[in-house]
Each structure stands twice: as C-alpha cells, then as structure tokens.
Amino acid sequence: MVAELADADGVVQGTLVWRPRLDRRGPPILLWIACVAALALGLALLFGGYLSRWLQSSVDELTEAASRIGRGDLDTTLRDGRGGAFPATATAFNQMTRDLRDAREQLRQTERIAASVSYTHLTLPTTLCMCRSRWSP
C-alpha cells in the first residue's frame, strides 16, 4: 500500500510505502520443511537402492559359488577382502572349500591304499596267529 504524506497546507512531503508482513518473510516455513523432507527422502531412496544392489551382488556371488561347490568344483573361492559385503562369510567359505578339498584328497589316498591291499594281505596275519596258537607250547 502506498500513501502520500502531506503537511497542513496540503503540500506532499513524502511517500509512505507499507508492505504486509507476509511479503517480508519469504516462503512459508512449511514449504521449507516439505523441500527438506523431499530431499531427504530422495537421498534415502538413492542410498537404499545402491545398498540393495551391493548386497544382492554379494549374495548372488555366494549363491553361485555354493552351486559350483555342489557340482564338485572345489577350486571355487570367494574374494574375502573389503570388496564384498560379507568378508567373514567369504573367509569361512574359502576355509570350508579348502577343508573339503583336503578331505577329498585324503579319501582318494585311502581308496588307493585299500585297492592295493589284496585279500591275502588281510588274512595272512590272522592265519599266522592261528598257526602259532595251535603249535605253540
């Protein structure tokens, strides 16, 4: 609102400009709160999407490695450094794979030894013991 200021003789001495209080405040506080909330929600959605993809890739890698182990590929390993989502799980998985590989190798050695031993080798000590007991004084 604009008003002219005049003296007693009617001569204009100045102009008064009055603005409502609402104009000087700028945008209402609720608009600022809504903008900040929308920005925070957007950032949370972006971060959540990134985190979800990162975790899913680690779980997919673990699942694929477990499938390869199930098919008999005991040379499968997971990266157990900082790159994965579950480094302790990857380390335990790699240790399990090494233990399975060692156990399979021990089993193969035992099978080779068992295959090389004939029936006579197994019964000979028993026969000798029986003979000694019959003819021993």
Side-chain angles (χ1 to χ4, degrees):
M1 172 185 256
V2 178
E4 292 183 350
L5 299 174
D7 60 3
D9 297 330
V11 179
V12 176
Q13 297 293 320
T15 306
L16 176 67
V17 178
W18 179 77
R19 294 185 205 169
R21 186 176 186 155
L22 201 59
D23 287 346
R24 287 185 285 174
R25 274 193 330 179
I29 192 75
L30 289 178
L31 181 62
W32 285 107
I33 292 173
C35 288
V36 168
L39 181 64
L41 179 64
L43 289 175
L45 287 173
L46 283 174
F47 179 71
Y50 171 75
L51 184 64
S52 172
R53 269 181 281 168
W54 182 61
L55 288 173
Q56 187 62 43
S57 69
S58 293
V59 169
D60 288 344
E61 184 180 350
L62 182 63
T63 303
E64 177 61 30
S67 296
R68 285 187 300 216
I69 294 292
R71 289 191 301 265
D73 180 15
L74 296 181
D75 294 326
T76 302
T77 58
L78 291 175
R79 56 188 162 108
D80 53 358
R82 293 184 185 177
F86 310 107
T89 303
T91 302
F93 187 87
N94 291 339
Q95 181 62 43
M96 176 198 67
T97 305
R98 281 190 296 275
D99 292 345
L100 282 172
R101 196 176 322 130
D102 294 343
R104 183 173 66 176
E105 186 57 37
Q106 287 177 354
L107 181 62
R108 284 182 180 164
Q109 287 176 358
T110 304
E111 287 174 346
R112 279 191 291 256
I113 291 170
S116 68
V117 174
S118 67
Y119 179 73
T120 11
H121 288 110
L122 294 175
T123 58
L124 184 60
T126 309
T127 309
L128 288 176
C129 289
M130 289 172 51
C131 291
R132 283 188 196 143
S133 65
R134 286 187 187 168
W135 291 296
S136 298

